[in-house]
Amino acid sequence: MSATGRTGSAAGPLARRRFLAGVAAGAAAVTAGGCARGESTSAQPGTTSISNDNATWDEGYRSAGSELKKITGYALRPLSNPSVTSYQQVVQMTLQTSKSSDLVKWASGYQLKRLARAGGLTDLSRVWERYAAKGWVRGASRDAVSYRGKALGIPMYESYYVLFYSKPVFRKLGLAEPGSWSELLHCAEVLKRNGITPFLASQSGGWPAIEWFQELVSKVDPRFYQRLVDGDASYTDAPARRAMDIWHDFMRKGWMTAPDFDQARGPGALKEAEVGMFLHGTWQAAGMSAAGMKPGTDYGAFILPAVRSSTPKSVIAESGVFVVPSRASSHDAAMANVGAWLDPSVQRVWSDFLQDSSANPKVRSSNPVVAGLQRDIVRNRRMPLVRYWEASPPSLIQGNTNDLGGFMAGQTSPATTLRRMQERAHDEWAAWKRDEA
């Protein structure tokens, strides 16, 4: 999962100003002491530096950079900062200075819009248009990388939220991959009866609390989900209540793991039949391989079915982005590399490294499970929905994520949780719109 964007405050405008002042002070200290693993952000011939918050991807950046160099003459030089908080602080504080790297990994949606408000980002609209003309990018995803009509980011990858499952366990219990809500419930009942917790659900680390919320709301009514995250519907409306009641019922039946379950254990728990199904992003395919599970043989994956068969089919999608600071020391080189990032030859290497889906729809994943999901999305014309974490103002999402974590821990009822989320939504949307004026 893209760590970038995991900040935000549920407090009001004054608290936000104090928070930003603290960020400034903290970032200055972090910058003074060094902020990233790797070399300096200073220009180095034949390379573009890329700031990111995931050192485990450094090898992938270098491999993709080797392909980029064949096209543009510039390789990628990753500068990794494993601390999410300090990473965000440094990016925000150096964005408009000569200390910024050439490329910056960031989150899409409102996380990007918040970063764009401060200025300092290069308009990538022409790059986007060239990609669109070649069919190398999905037109529907432009809004998630734009602010005030300008495309400010280029998608790095495209992940989908799916349920991974153990094929040997399903085969042993006579279960088939569920294609309907009733079939999903049948799988859960059989797994529970055989001593296997049907679903992995966690709020460990904070952000995972959004996973079941976004899935259940969108599978009750995907159009309502879209209105909800756009601020045009209420968290206390019937579809949200229905989703929370389903979630609560699953927990009461013992169908979900304890909320403090460590998701890093997910692939191993699936392999050892501790859990039956693991809801997560398709980027978790790499974790399955690390656990010694072969795609298509040891595990499969499917998109959660709609609660009613008449409900439009949908899928929650996630995509991080590359942005180019206006004052990047190697700005021309950075523009060349973002302009070639979605080239199929580059994406083939990058997608193979991630074992995930490329942001270029013409590049099929080499992982057969992910490739099957790509086919399913096209065949069923699934409505793509932005992941909850990026879909609304960051302060709103962070506060609501905390409330969902409390619900998972049994601290609040479904009704109380939704009421608190709606009260925050009222205040935070008003604050966002006020700042936009």
Side-chain angles (χ1 to χ4, degrees), residues 272-427:
E272 299 301 323
E274 184 179 348
V275 298
M277 291 171 273
F278 178 15
L279 174 62
H280 223 25
T282 47
W283 39 265
Q284 185 59 67
M288 297 295 175
S289 294
M293 301 178 74
K294 292 182 62 177
T297 301
D298 297 322
Y299 75 88
F302 62 93
I303 297 167
L304 189 72
V307 175
R308 296 189 303 272
S309 59
S310 59
T311 301
K313 293 182 178 181
S314 64
V315 61
I316 299 289
E318 168 198 344
S319 178
V321 298
F322 279 139
V323 299
V324 180
S326 307
R327 296 186 61 186
S329 56
S330 300
H331 191 271
D332 288 347
M335 290 298 291
N337 273 352
V338 295
W341 174 251
L342 293 181
D343 185 280
S345 64
V346 177
Q347 285 302 295
R348 175 76 280 141
V349 172
W350 177 242
S351 178
D352 287 350
F353 171 79
L354 293 180
Q355 296 189 46
D356 202 356
S357 180
S358 168
N360 182 335
K362 293 190 175 182
V363 176
R364 185 69 61 193
S365 176
S366 59
N367 181 307
V369 171
V370 177
L373 292 164
Q374 289 176 312
R375 290 191 295 271
D376 170 276
I377 290 167
V378 173
R379 182 175 63 250
N380 289 297
R381 298 181 179 179
R382 292 186 180 272
M383 183 188 307
L385 300 169
V386 177
R387 184 176 64 158
Y388 188 68
W389 191 262
E390 292 89 17
S392 295
S395 297
L396 167 59
I397 296 300
Q398 182 65 71
N400 282 0
T401 300
N402 293 339
D403 282 344
L404 291 170
F407 163 72
M408 293 179 73
Q411 297 169 359
T412 55
S413 67
T416 298
T417 304
L418 290 174
R419 177 177 53 78
R420 290 180 178 178
M421 293 171 76
Q422 178 54 32
E423 289 171 353
R424 182 176 296 105
H426 178 272
D427 294 341

Side-chain angles (χ1 to χ4, degrees), residues 259-274:
D260 61 353
F261 192 99
D262 183 359
Q263 283 190 324
R265 293 183 50 226
L270 204 68
K271 184 178 182 180
E272 299 301 323
E274 184 179 348

Side-chain angles (χ1 to χ4, degrees), residues 149-348:
K150 296 179 180 179
L152 298 175
I154 295 300
M156 295 175 58
Y157 57 87
E158 187 168 82
S159 292
Y160 307 109
Y161 277 76
V162 301
L163 282 160
F164 291 96
Y165 68 96
S166 166
K167 283 205 160 188
V169 167
F170 268 52
R171 196 159 45 241
K172 178 181 177 181
L173 298 180
L175 298 175
E177 188 175 289
S180 68
W181 188 253
S182 61
E183 290 172 359
L184 176 78
L185 300 184
H186 172 69
C187 288
E189 289 166 353
V190 172
L191 288 163
K192 181 64 176 176
R193 196 160 56 239
N194 283 272
I196 301 171
T197 302
F199 303 111
L200 194 160
S202 173
Q203 51 97 353
S204 179
W207 77 267
I210 72 169
E211 293 183 295
W212 278 97
F213 178 76
Q214 67 184 10
E215 280 298 319
L216 290 172
V217 173
S218 65
K219 298 312 184 287
V220 167
D221 186 342
R223 294 192 178 96
F224 169 79
Y225 174 87
Q226 189 62 65
R227 294 196 305 274
L228 182 69
V229 298
D230 285 345
D232 297 328
S234 171
Y235 283 87
T236 58
D237 286 345
R241 296 200 307 271
R242 172 66 174 142
M244 291 294 278
D245 286 344
I246 291 171
W247 194 359
H248 197 217
D249 182 55
F250 281 12
M251 291 193 290
R252 278 198 311 241
K253 290 177 177 177
W255 283 7
M256 291 185 154
T257 57
D260 61 353
F261 192 99
D262 183 359
Q263 283 190 324
R265 293 183 50 226
L270 204 68
K271 184 178 182 180
E272 299 301 323
E274 184 179 348
V275 298
M277 291 171 273
F278 178 15
L279 174 62
H280 223 25
T282 47
W283 39 265
Q284 185 59 67
M288 297 295 175
S289 294
M293 301 178 74
K294 292 182 62 177
T297 301
D298 297 322
Y299 75 88
F302 62 93
I303 297 167
L304 189 72
V307 175
R308 296 189 303 272
S309 59
S310 59
T311 301
K313 293 182 178 181
S314 64
V315 61
I316 299 289
E318 168 198 344
S319 178
V321 298
F322 279 139
V323 299
V324 180
S326 307
R327 296 186 61 186
S329 56
S330 300
H331 191 271
D332 288 347
M335 290 298 291
N337 273 352
V338 295
W341 174 251
L342 293 181
D343 185 280
S345 64
V346 177
Q347 285 302 295
R348 175 76 280 141

